[in-house]
Amino acid sequence: MPLVTGGSGVFEAVQRGDGEQVALLIQQDRSILKQRGWGGFTALHFAALHGNRPIAEILLNCGADPNITCDAGQTPFHFACRHGNISIMHKMVQHGADLRMVDQQGKTSLHHAVCGGSIVAMQYLWETTMFRFSDADNLLITPLHMAASTGNTDVVRYLLRENRCSADAVDHKGATALHVAAEKGAIEVCWLLLHNTGLHILHTKNHTGLTPLDLCSRGTTFRHQQLTKMLEQFINKPKDQKPRESYVMYYWTLLLPSVSGAAVFLIAAALGENGGVLCGLLFPLLAKVTLSQYHRMSDYQRLPNPIYLGTLTAAIIHTIIFLVQNTLKLPLTLLHIWPAYTLLNVSVLHFSVVLWLFWKLLTQDPGKLKAVDTDPRISSIADLVESNQNPCRFCVYCELFQVANCKHCRLCDLCVMDYDHHCLFLNRCVGQNNHRVFLLFVLAMIVAQLFFVGTAGYYLHWRSEVEESWSWSSVAMREAWVLLLLIINALAVLWETWLLSEQFNAISAGTTTYFRQCHHKKSNWSKRTVTVLLFLIEGKNFRSKNQNAIDI
């Protein structure tokens, strides 16, 4: 390998990530550790800037100083905080990094971590007990001001939690964090600040006499317009109140599939043979509206979107209505096996089980991670780094150290043990406590849907025979809602069968569908079958107890 000499050579090698070249250059001339390049950056500045841990360790082990400042007064430790690389930060602390150093603007390492958006880095700095979240720079800008400026809602939530930062703090212009967010048009940040602090902050004026609403109304973007409407709703309310979350749109979205489906079916029934045409035109439109929905609602509250839960509820309701209304119309026997009343009683019993499992899934804790469930050996992010585990095991939302097979769900806003997936049709997570119930619910749904498909098919056949003047096309038009429900249930059976196969495959391997990619070892077919059956019958925990931590 050709050797590049001179100070510029080490900078180029660091930016290329060529650790071997860096080591050779240092061995040739150790003075390059203190040499400065563009902006007064040293080689360690560049390594921290790019988050290159191996090269940073080479430089630190060779004696690079983590406290050398660049032209802006920023140290390599500041750069590491901005990048959010905890391993480099911890290594610099071990090599004597001065955490109290500030740059020429008076910004601390905590300011730089906030600017980079790394909550894990912020937590690491807070655990050193050398920082206060209320610390301001030379312009009185607090970490909350910076988070509001960048529009990072996760950082804002972290800083507002447990009153770490005061939302009433003002900078050199007299502006609060709400002023900054309103001027940027950050509607979600403004909602978080108002919801956490109260409406009194909305009336605070800066040194020029402007409120957050005044600053927002100057904006010309769509987000500024939406934010202006929201602030105008709150400006005339009592100052001592806090805005509450509104669930009107949430429940309307939840009921929309049932209401719209019922309206279409009733109109189609009134139109007779033309009803099939109406269903054929409107149901694809309803399906498009449903499938085009995002996981969260589009308003500033960002609540989970219940449209898929509403769709499942609507399908269950309309299916039950058909069975109750039309089963008794069938002739004496169904396929010459079951009397109609017996068929009705069996269907009611089975659908009662389905509804009970459905309700249990909607109300049962999926397996929320609690403080008592965490590893007692891990009490700080530094412990994770020193034990060679991933610092991301610290959940920045729950502020807990996750155990194996645990994941935070942003929609449910909790850490779920033995996380499998977030089911949009339940608007809930599937995890340790409800995984077995979920599988039983899917099995019960498949049986119920097969039962419905058979009953609906026989009903349509019976109608075509009873009404001798009706052709199959006429029956399909007049009983369009039955035909549509039959098709939907048949397609749902195919999808649920595939879903069950994926679930059983993961369970038999001793993992979940989310963490299955981390497991490669498979046992023979008989052992896997026994594992699945034990889990379904007894709810026996199948998870592997000896799981290694993720290396960093």
Side-chain angles (χ1 to χ4, degrees):
M1 178 182 297
L3 184 63
V4 180
T5 58
S8 62
V10 72
F11 300 142
E12 294 174 358
V14 169
Q15 294 185 74
R16 289 197 310 268
D18 191 345
E20 184 179 352
Q21 184 80 331
V22 171
L24 290 173
L25 287 169
I26 296 175
Q27 186 178 4
Q28 182 185 32
D29 182 10
R30 298 183 66 87
S31 65
I32 63 174
L33 293 172
K34 298 183 179 180
Q35 289 182 354
R36 300 169 182 267
W38 180 87
F41 293 177
T42 64
L44 188 56
H45 278 93
F46 282 108
L49 179 65
H50 294 288
N52 195 317
R53 177 189 175 190
I55 290 183
E57 291 183 348
I58 292 174
L59 295 170
L60 289 168
N61 292 334
C62 291
D65 186 359
N67 297 317
I68 294 180
T69 60
C70 65
D71 294 346
Q74 299 172 1
T75 67
F77 186 75
H78 290 150
F79 281 32
C81 292
R82 184 185 293 266
H83 189 276
N85 194 309
I86 306 300
S87 301
I88 296 179
M89 292 171 58
H90 190 68
K91 192 72 174 179
M92 289 183 178
V93 170
Q94 292 177 332
H95 283 77
D98 186 359
L99 276 62
R100 296 187 182 277
M101 291 188 68
V102 297
D103 60 18
Q104 292 181 359
Q105 296 179 344
K107 288 182 169 56
T108 65
S109 300
L110 184 60
H111 283 89
H112 288 281
V114 171
C115 186
S118 175
I119 299 178
V120 178
M122 295 163 59
Q123 179 71 16
Y124 176 87
L125 294 173
W126 178 79
E127 290 174 355
T128 64
T129 68
M130 299 180 66
F131 295 91
R132 294 180 303 173
F133 290 101
S134 58
D135 291 340
D137 64 6
N138 297 338
L139 300 178
L140 303 181
I141 296 176
T142 66
L144 186 59
H145 282 91
M146 299 186 68
S149 177
T150 59
N152 193 322
T153 55
D154 291 337
V155 175
V156 171
R157 285 192 184 93
Y158 175 81
L159 293 175
L160 291 175
R161 199 176 298 138
E162 299 178 0
N163 296 319
R164 292 187 173 103
C165 277
S166 173
D168 295 307
V170 297
D171 61 12
H172 69 295
K173 296 181 179 179
T176 64
L178 185 61
H179 284 89
V180 177
E183 190 172 14
K184 297 283 187 179
I187 186 169
E188 292 88 359
V189 174
C190 290
W191 164 253
L192 289 174
L193 292 168
L194 292 171
H195 184 65
N196 182 271
T197 308
L199 298 178
H200 71 274
I201 194 176
L202 187 57
H203 299 268
T204 304
K205 296 182 179 180
N206 60 17
H207 292 336
T208 58
L210 298 177
T211 65
L213 177 57
D214 296 330
L215 292 174
C216 180
S217 60
R218 293 179 174 182
T220 58
T221 66
F222 176 75
R223 292 181 64 83
H224 282 96
Q225 296 173 5
Q226 294 295 107
L227 179 57
T228 299
K229 292 179 181 179
M230 183 189 80
L231 297 181
E232 287 176 345
Q233 293 176 1
F234 297 143
I235 194 68
N236 295 323
K237 293 185 177 181
K239 296 181 181 181
D240 57 344
Q241 287 187 0
K242 291 184 178 181
R244 298 180 179 179
E245 292 182 336
S246 174
Y247 290 92
V248 175
M249 283 300 299
Y250 180 89
Y251 287 111
W252 166 245
T253 306
L254 179 64
L255 296 174
L256 179 61
S258 297
V259 174
S260 58
V264 172
F265 286 149
L266 289 175
I267 297 174
L271 293 177
E273 290 192 10
N274 296 325
V277 178
L278 179 68
C279 289
L281 292 175
L282 292 184
F283 262 90
L285 179 61
L286 293 177
K288 181 181 178 181
V289 171
T290 301
L291 296 176
S292 62
Q293 295 289 314
Y294 293 104
H295 293 178
R296 289 187 183 275
M297 303 185 71
S298 58
D299 62 350
Y300 53 84
Q301 296 179 162
R302 306 294 291 164
L303 295 174
N305 195 334
I307 188 70
Y308 294 98
L309 172 60
T311 302
L312 176 60
T313 305
I316 294 176
I317 291 174
H318 289 298
T319 300
I320 292 176
I321 290 175
F322 164 79
L323 288 174
V324 173
Q325 178 180 349
N326 294 329
T327 299
L328 294 177
K329 295 180 181 180
L330 294 174
L332 296 178
T333 62
L334 173 65
L335 301 178
H336 307 289
I337 300 176
W338 280 2
Y341 280 99
T342 303
L343 173 64
L344 179 62
N345 293 332
V346 172
S347 62
V348 169
L349 177 62
H350 184 75
F351 271 92
S352 299
V353 174
V354 171
L355 292 175
W356 177 77
L357 291 172
F358 186 43
W359 177 254
K360 191 173 180 64
L361 279 172
L362 294 179
T363 57
Q364 186 177 18
D365 173 24
K368 180 180 178 180
L369 178 68
K370 301 176 182 178
V372 295
D373 301 318
T374 59
D375 189 346
R377 297 171 298 177
I378 304 296
S379 59
S380 66
I381 295 177
D383 292 340
L384 287 175
V385 178
E386 291 178 358
S387 60
N388 202 36
Q389 298 185 44
N390 195 330
C392 292
R393 279 188 57 186
F394 174 77
C395 177
V396 299
Y397 307 101
C398 301
E399 297 191 27
L400 295 172
F401 293 95
Q402 295 177 341
V403 296
N405 281 355
C406 181
K407 181 185 179 299
H408 183 88
C409 176
R410 296 287 302 275
L411 294 173
C412 295
D413 195 25
L414 51 84
C415 285
V416 181
M417 294 186 291
D418 289 336
Y419 177 86
D420 187 83
H421 71 286
H422 179 90
C423 182
L424 293 176
F425 289 97
L426 298 173
N427 212 17
R428 299 278 290 176
C429 277
V430 176
Q432 185 181 81
N433 292 352
N434 64 351
H435 196 175
R436 174 171 172 262
V437 178
F438 172 76
L439 294 178
L440 293 175
F441 173 71
V442 175
L443 284 170
M445 283 288 291
I446 290 177
V447 174
Q449 287 165 335
L450 289 174
F451 189 80
F452 174 83
V453 169
T455 304
Y458 182 75
Y459 172 80
L460 293 175
H461 175 70
W462 171 73
R463 290 283 289 173
S464 65
E465 289 185 346
V466 170
E467 304 292 343
E468 297 179 355
S469 60
W470 291 7
S471 62
W472 265 102
S473 60
S474 178
V475 173
M477 288 295 182
R478 292 179 179 273
E479 301 290 346
W481 74 293
V482 178
L483 181 61
L484 279 171
L485 286 175
L486 188 152
I487 295 173
I488 292 173
N489 279 273
L491 294 176
V493 168
L494 296 177
W495 177 73
E496 288 163 357
T497 302
W498 169 83
L499 176 64
L500 274 183
S501 67
E502 293 292 311
Q503 289 287 327
F504 290 159
N505 187 33
I507 292 172
S508 64
T511 182
T512 64
T513 55
Y514 183 83
F515 293 100
R516 181 174 51 185
Q517 57 187 356
C518 302
H519 296 257
H520 304 287
K521 186 177 180 181
K522 291 186 177 181
S523 57
N524 58 50
W525 186 87
S526 59
K527 290 183 178 180
R528 296 175 68 183
T529 303
V530 171
T531 301
V532 172
L533 291 176
L534 286 176
F535 182 72
L536 289 175
I537 297 172
E538 303 177 5
K540 186 176 180 180
N541 188 5
F542 59 86
R543 317 300 183 197
S544 175
K545 296 182 179 180
N546 299 318
Q547 299 201 22
N548 297 325
I550 302 175
D551 293 338
I552 57 176

